[in-house]
Amino acid sequence: MSELNLIPKAEIDRALAALNAPAERTALFATLCRINTLYMIARAGSGHVGSSFSCLDMVSWLYLNEMRRDGDGAPQDVFFSSKGHDVPALYTVLISLGLLPFDKIDTLRRLGGLPGHPDVSIPHIATNSGSLGMGISKAKGMLRADRLAGVDRRFYVMTGDGELQEGQIWESLQGAANANMDAITVIVDHNRIQSDHWVSNTSDLGDIETRFASFGWHVQRCDGHNQDAFATALEAARDASAPSVIIADTIKGRGVSFMEPGDLGDLELYGYHSGAPTAEDYERAVTELTARADTQLAGAGAEPLDTKNFARPPAGAAPDVERLIPAYADAIVAAGGRNPDLVALDADLVLDCGLIPFRETYPDRYIECGIAEMDMVGQAGGLALSGKLPVVHSFACFLTPRANEQVYTNASEHTKIIYAGSLAGLLPAGPGHSHQSVRDIALMSCVPGMTAFEPSSAAETAAALDWMVDQADGPCYLRLTSIPIALSYTPAAPSALQVGRGTRLRQGSDAAIFAYGPVMLSEAYAAAETLAAKEGIDCRVINMPWLNRIDADWLMTEVSDVPQVFTIDNHYRDGGQGGRIASAIAELGLSTTPRVTRFGLDELPVCGTNDEALRHHGLDRESLAGAIQQKLHT
């Protein structure tokens, strides 16, 4: 199917006007929002369909029937999602009700548009989320502010059931009960699946009704897709004298039969958690949803939907790309064969971190820790103290800041643990700043004894892990780019790694450019080629994968004969590799010290396409070439 289907605002208004009964009207509205949510995600090329669909019936009811409105028609009460993955659903509800401009529907995950996770820059988004576990605490703070200001609002917080594995959720409960925060209602989207597979198979939470009640909360359970049952639960929550939780049993992918997982059973990976549907799946889903909406309209004697069709954005030709995660997957299986003490720990990201082959090969040495990074790193500390070699995995944005205290404590015990942080750096930019790890080098480099390394190729990825497993005598951080990258350079065949020494990829005498990882090395190399071809400026390009180790003798050979040095960080400039290189150059005691210019992020990373994000931050090849040329001429 080469087209995407969209329901215009006028058509949504017409459809809603055809039905009066709240339950039927809300069910139709949710179906229309599912169609437009699919449109948004398919157009963006990524998003979270499953969790958007599981919560849409409830979000629709809240906005149509439950939340009070002010004189301008805007919600007086507050709803926000703590899990954040479901924000496409929330956007479509806001757009359909005129609370956001309708043309925003075309801007999901685009620069200046709607971020991939909730962000307060968007009207009616109450708090940022995407980093899990924080929502109830945020609602408590807002309620305390309301009490100080004499404001009357109710707060509805959507959490995921997998999110309940985060410790902050349980920390937040007792204080809410002690302070009689009966204006807070937490809705658990209990769809039973987290990012990888069943919640019960990842880290079974047991009787969560009893657990919430033990903290003094008013607890109910209902069918989250039954409008009457959900309305009854909300009414009881309003009347309760304690903070309330509604455990809403839902189905991930609700509304599209083949996206619904069915009964509990064997499920290796749920296929519609993230990403965009294929053209075939999109067509099947839209056909099914449109037929349901038309049946609902026919029951009210109304005309069927009149949708607008738009061409699907072209995917573009797939170039030859470098893929680091599959290379890592092979390398850790091989390392596990050499070292029987190697144990892999995972935080519900077995696919994204490349651990499926290891899990299949060494099931007894694979530990699924769930969405609980601090506990995972703490377990790694215990394993290391007991003589094992733990290799810890998660997205860099969650692993390095959330569990940094545990990482530091482990280092203080002088044990060896390898931390593998994937999804590192500015890209992919679509998920937004909660998932863009651009401060992890600073966080990990300052840990005593830690060696941080970012490979720039598949071969260097394997070599780095081998060095960490076989030769390193202390903790290590392996920073991995997750997205496939079309390299602008030919990777050097990694010989035996020498700590603190990089590799020249391009010769040149006018300046030296230091970079690391496939993203920034590609931009740096292409910028150097542009400068040579258009301006006659010849820059050497150096791959420096050691993020916090610099060999002074090697560095002297690379910078003593050039007038200027440029460093490019896939990270904030402050705390990145560039500052370390500049300091090391200053300490060389050269008779003529080259001028150092550092490139990197100076603001919160933007959400958008990868090209948009690089260009916005001046880290694309054209911007770098222009900035380097200007510096060389001043």
Side-chain angles (χ1 to χ4, degrees):
M1 182 179 183
S2 60
E3 292 184 335
L4 299 178
N5 297 86
L6 174 67
I7 306 174
K9 178 69 166 66
E11 187 66 2
I12 294 171
D13 293 341
R14 179 190 71 83
L16 290 182
L19 297 173
N20 294 317
E24 288 76 10
R25 189 169 181 266
T26 305
L28 174 60
F29 181 74
T31 300
L32 304 181
C33 286
R34 285 184 172 95
I35 295 172
N36 281 357
T37 297
L38 268 181
Y39 170 87
M40 293 179 73
I41 293 174
R43 183 177 176 85
S46 62
H48 295 84
V49 176
S51 54
S52 291
F53 281 14
S54 65
C55 73
L56 246 171
D57 293 317
M58 297 180 290
V59 178
S60 297
W61 181 271
L62 287 168
Y63 276 89
L64 287 178
N65 307 296
E66 177 70 14
M67 294 164 61
R68 294 169 294 179
R69 294 178 176 265
D70 61 23
D72 296 325
Q76 172 184 328
D77 297 322
V78 178
F79 167 82
F80 62 87
S81 170
S82 180
K83 58 178 180 169
H85 284 163
D86 51 355
V87 75
L90 178 55
Y91 289 150
T92 56
V93 169
L94 295 173
I95 289 169
S96 299
L97 294 177
L99 296 171
L100 288 177
F102 198 84
D103 59 5
K104 287 291 185 182
I105 204 164
D106 292 324
T107 68
L108 179 64
R109 300 192 169 208
R110 294 301 304 267
L111 185 66
L114 299 174
H117 285 80
D119 190 278
V120 294
S121 63
I122 303 302
H124 307 292
I125 299 295
T127 181
N128 293 358
S129 58
S131 296
L132 299 179
M134 304 179 186
I136 301 174
S137 300
K138 290 288 184 73
K140 288 165 65 179
M142 293 176 191
L143 178 54
R144 289 186 187 277
D146 280 2
R147 287 177 172 178
L148 290 172
V151 174
D152 173 29
R153 294 189 297 178
R154 293 196 62 84
F155 296 88
Y156 301 90
V157 182
M158 182 77 71
T159 74
D161 45 1
E163 184 181 8
L164 301 186
Q165 291 160 0
E166 286 286 11
Q168 186 175 349
I169 292 283
W170 304 100
E171 288 184 42
S172 68
L173 298 182
Q174 193 64 64
N178 292 344
N180 298 315
M181 292 186 169
D182 56 355
I184 295 177
T185 298
V186 171
I187 303 160
V188 178
D189 184 8
H190 193 256
N191 60 38
R192 304 177 297 172
I193 297 177
Q194 46 196 101
S195 63
D196 280 350
H197 41 74
W198 299 112
V199 173
S200 59
N201 291 343
T202 305
S203 183
D204 195 340
L205 293 163
D207 185 352
I208 56 176
E209 293 173 80
T210 299
R211 291 182 68 183
F212 272 103
S214 70
F215 284 94
W217 282 57
H218 177 256
V219 182
Q220 302 173 81
R221 192 162 200 147
C222 74
D223 179 348
H225 301 303
N226 184 311
Q227 304 290 355
D228 292 331
F230 185 56
T232 299
L234 289 169
E235 182 178 2
R238 287 196 304 273
D239 295 338
S241 57
S244 288
V245 59
I246 299 172
I247 300 165
D249 292 314
T250 59
I251 298 172
K252 204 157 186 174
R254 176 69 170 188
V256 177
S257 58
F258 62 87
M259 293 183 179
E260 299 178 5
D263 294 331
L264 284 169
D266 293 334
L267 179 72
E268 283 300 315
L269 288 169
Y270 175 71
Y272 300 98
H273 172 72
S274 61
T278 65
E280 179 183 359
D281 282 351
Y282 177 83
E283 182 175 7
R284 292 169 62 200
V286 168
T287 298
E288 185 174 334
L289 289 166
T290 302
R292 180 175 300 115
D294 286 346
T295 298
Q296 292 169 297
L297 288 168
E303 294 294 319
L305 288 177
D306 181 15
T307 62
K308 282 190 176 181
N309 299 328
F310 297 88
R312 178 185 291 271
D320 292 334
V321 293
E322 196 81 356
R323 300 178 186 272
L324 271 56
I325 298 301
Y328 177 80
D330 293 339
I332 193 171
V333 169
R338 296 194 308 272
N339 188 335
D341 288 327
L342 189 152
V343 179
L345 296 89
D346 170 47
D348 188 40
L349 290 167
V350 65
L351 174 64
D352 295 282
C353 291
L355 290 176
I356 291 177
F358 187 93
R359 184 183 66 181
E360 293 175 346
T361 307
Y362 306 110
D364 293 340
R365 289 193 273 151
Y366 169 80
I367 302 172
E368 174 57 76
C369 302
I371 307 172
E373 295 84 3
M374 290 181 285
D375 175 64
M376 175 177 64
V377 175
Q379 287 189 63
L383 284 162
L385 288 169
S386 302
K388 301 301 180 183
L389 175 57
V391 186
V392 180
H393 302 81
S394 186
F395 286 163
C397 55
F398 304 137
L399 172 63
T400 61
R402 181 156 293 194
N404 199 258
E405 186 175 7
Q406 287 73 20
V407 170
Y408 188 85
T409 298
N410 290 345
S412 75
E413 295 168 343
H414 305 290
T415 56
K416 178 176 171 179
I417 299 172
I418 299 170
Y419 303 93
S422 58
L423 205 76
L426 176 63
L427 308 184
H433 56 73
S434 66
H435 286 58
Q436 291 164 291
S437 187
V438 290
R439 57 192 172 119
D440 53 312
I441 296 175
L443 290 167
M444 298 299 274
S445 291
C446 65
V447 175
M450 182 72 69
T451 299
F453 189 104
E454 178 168 350
S456 62
S457 66
E460 197 171 50
T461 299
L465 182 64
D466 289 349
W467 181 87
M468 292 177 179
V469 170
D470 301 332
Q471 299 181 48
D473 56 7
C476 299
Y477 176 48
L478 183 59
R479 189 178 198 250
L480 293 172
T481 297
S482 290
I483 60 174
I485 297 292
L487 302 182
S488 67
Y489 56 91
T490 300
S495 53
L497 295 178
Q498 300 181 65
V499 178
R501 295 189 168 214
T503 306
R504 266 194 214 186
L505 298 179
R506 189 184 190 283
Q507 301 298 326
S509 58
D510 292 326
I513 305 174
F514 289 82
Y516 54 84
V519 175
M520 292 310 167
L521 267 175
S522 288
E523 300 306 313
Y525 194 93
E529 292 284 282
T530 297
L531 288 168
K534 294 184 177 180
E535 307 295 335
I537 298 171
D538 217 11
C539 298
R540 71 185 57 157
V541 178
I542 301 158
N543 170 28
M544 182 48 174
W546 304 92
L547 301 176
N548 65 339
R549 298 281 184 266
I550 301 175
D551 183 293
D553 292 337
W554 167 82
L555 183 63
M556 183 173 291
T557 66
E558 294 295 347
V559 303
S560 59
D561 61 342
V562 293
Q564 294 205 41
V565 168
F566 299 91
T567 67
I568 305 175
D569 264 302
N570 192 2
H571 188 272
Y572 287 122
R573 279 203 310 161
D574 289 343
Q577 184 195 67
R580 191 174 294 269
I581 290 175
S583 296
I585 290 173
E587 293 173 359
L588 290 176
L590 297 172
S591 57
T592 302
T593 299
R595 176 184 180 184
V596 179
T597 300
R598 296 178 294 126
F599 297 104
L601 278 77
D602 292 308
E603 60 178 338
L604 204 66
V606 296
C607 175
T609 67
N610 294 341
D611 290 343
E612 287 174 338
L614 286 171
R615 191 176 308 112
H616 175 88
H617 292 289
L619 295 173
D620 63 297
R621 56 197 65 185
E622 291 84 5
S623 298
L624 288 170
I628 291 171
Q629 179 188 1
Q630 183 178 21
K631 285 289 184 181
L632 289 172
H633 289 162
T634 57

PDB file of all heavy atoms in Angstrom, residues 55 152 202 327 338 411 565 603-604:
ATOM      1  N   CYS A  55      -4.065   1.895  25.675  1.00  0.00           N
ATOM      2  CA  CYS A  55      -4.581   2.913  26.595  1.00  0.00           C
ATOM      3  C   CYS A  55      -5.623   3.830  25.969  1.00  0.00           C
ATOM      4  O   CYS A  55      -6.234   4.641  26.673  1.00  0.00           O
ATOM      5  CB  CYS A  55      -3.424   3.748  27.142  1.00  0.00           C
ATOM      6  SG  CYS A  55      -2.721   4.902  25.940  1.00  0.00           S
ATOM      7  N   ASP A 152      -7.827  23.821  42.869  1.00  0.00           N
ATOM      8  CA  ASP A 152      -8.517  22.523  42.903  1.00  0.00           C
ATOM      9  C   ASP A 152      -8.370  21.826  41.553  1.00  0.00           C
ATOM     10  O   ASP A 152      -8.991  22.226  40.567  1.00  0.00           O
ATOM     11  CB  ASP A 152     -10.003  22.733  43.234  1.00  0.00           C
ATOM     12  CG  ASP A 152     -10.806  21.446  43.125  1.00  0.00           C
ATOM     13  OD1 ASP A 152     -10.226  20.362  43.351  1.00  0.00           O
ATOM     14  OD2 ASP A 152     -12.005  21.522  42.791  1.00  0.00           O
ATOM     15  N   THR A 202       9.258 -11.603  32.843  1.00  0.00           N
ATOM     16  CA  THR A 202      10.412 -10.718  33.014  1.00  0.00           C
ATOM     17  C   THR A 202      10.717 -10.532  34.488  1.00  0.00           C
ATOM     18  O   THR A 202      11.804 -10.842  34.964  1.00  0.00           O
ATOM     19  CB  THR A 202      10.137  -9.357  32.358  1.00  0.00           C
ATOM     20  OG1 THR A 202       9.788  -9.567  30.998  1.00  0.00           O
ATOM     21  CG2 THR A 202      11.349  -8.451  32.444  1.00  0.00           C
ATOM     22  N   ALA A 327      27.300  -7.223  15.508  1.00  0.00           N
ATOM     23  CA  ALA A 327      28.705  -7.577  15.762  1.00  0.00           C
ATOM     24  C   ALA A 327      28.930  -7.826  17.241  1.00  0.00           C
ATOM     25  O   ALA A 327      29.654  -8.761  17.628  1.00  0.00           O
ATOM     26  CB  ALA A 327      29.613  -6.453  15.264  1.00  0.00           C
ATOM     27  N   ARG A 338      34.823 -18.494  25.682  1.00  0.00           N
ATOM     28  CA  ARG A 338      36.182 -18.474  26.230  1.00  0.00           C
ATOM     29  C   ARG A 338      36.189 -18.393  27.742  1.00  0.00           C
ATOM     30  O   ARG A 338      37.091 -18.904  28.397  1.00  0.00           O
ATOM     31  CB  ARG A 338      36.969 -17.272  25.674  1.00  0.00           C
ATOM     32  CG  ARG A 338      37.202 -17.278  24.190  1.00  0.00           C
ATOM     33  CD  ARG A 338      38.266 -16.240  23.804  1.00  0.00           C
ATOM     34  NE  ARG A 338      37.985 -14.912  24.341  1.00  0.00           N
ATOM     35  CZ  ARG A 338      37.247 -13.986  23.732  1.00  0.00           C
ATOM     36  NH1 ARG A 338      36.658 -14.277  22.570  1.00  0.00           N
ATOM     37  NH2 ARG A 338      37.078 -12.787  24.249  1.00  0.00           N
ATOM     38  N   ALA A 411      32.795   0.050  41.623  1.00  0.00           N
ATOM     39  CA  ALA A 411      34.189   0.400  41.342  1.00  0.00           C
ATOM     40  C   ALA A 411      34.995   0.510  42.630  1.00  0.00           C
ATOM     41  O   ALA A 411      36.191   0.172  42.663  1.00  0.00           O
ATOM     42  CB  ALA A 411      34.252   1.706  40.557  1.00  0.00           C
ATOM     43  N   VAL A 565      43.664  21.907  16.128  1.00  0.00           N
ATOM     44  CA  VAL A 565      43.062  20.611  16.439  1.00  0.00           C
ATOM     45  C   VAL A 565      41.563  20.818  16.649  1.00  0.00           C
ATOM     46  O   VAL A 565      41.148  21.788  17.302  1.00  0.00           O
ATOM     47  CB  VAL A 565      43.687  19.986  17.703  1.00  0.00           C
ATOM     48  CG1 VAL A 565      42.866  18.787  18.188  1.00  0.00           C
ATOM     49  CG2 VAL A 565      45.134  19.568  17.435  1.00  0.00           C
ATOM     50  N   GLU A 603      23.212  22.265  24.147  1.00  0.00           N
ATOM     51  CA  GLU A 603      21.833  22.408  24.599  1.00  0.00           C
ATOM     52  C   GLU A 603      21.181  21.031  24.600  1.00  0.00           C
ATOM     53  O   GLU A 603      21.762  20.051  24.121  1.00  0.00           O
ATOM     54  CB  GLU A 603      21.064  23.348  23.664  1.00  0.00           C
ATOM     55  CG  GLU A 603      21.011  22.848  22.221  1.00  0.00           C
ATOM     56  CD  GLU A 603      20.217  23.755  21.294  1.00  0.00           C
ATOM     57  OE1 GLU A 603      19.378  24.519  21.793  1.00  0.00           O
ATOM     58  OE2 GLU A 603      20.427  23.686  20.071  1.00  0.00           O
ATOM     59  N   LEU A 604      19.982  20.966  25.149  1.00  0.00           N
ATOM     60  CA  LEU A 604      19.246  19.717  25.163  1.00  0.00           C
ATOM     61  C   LEU A 604      19.118  19.184  23.743  1.00  0.00           C
ATOM     62  O   LEU A 604      18.809  19.944  22.819  1.00  0.00           O
ATOM     63  CB  LEU A 604      17.847  19.950  25.753  1.00  0.00           C
ATOM     64  CG  LEU A 604      17.117  18.767  26.377  1.00  0.00           C
ATOM     65  CD1 LEU A 604      17.828  18.271  27.622  1.00  0.00           C
ATOM     66  CD2 LEU A 604      15.679  19.157  26.700  1.00  0.00           C
TER      67      LEU A 604
END
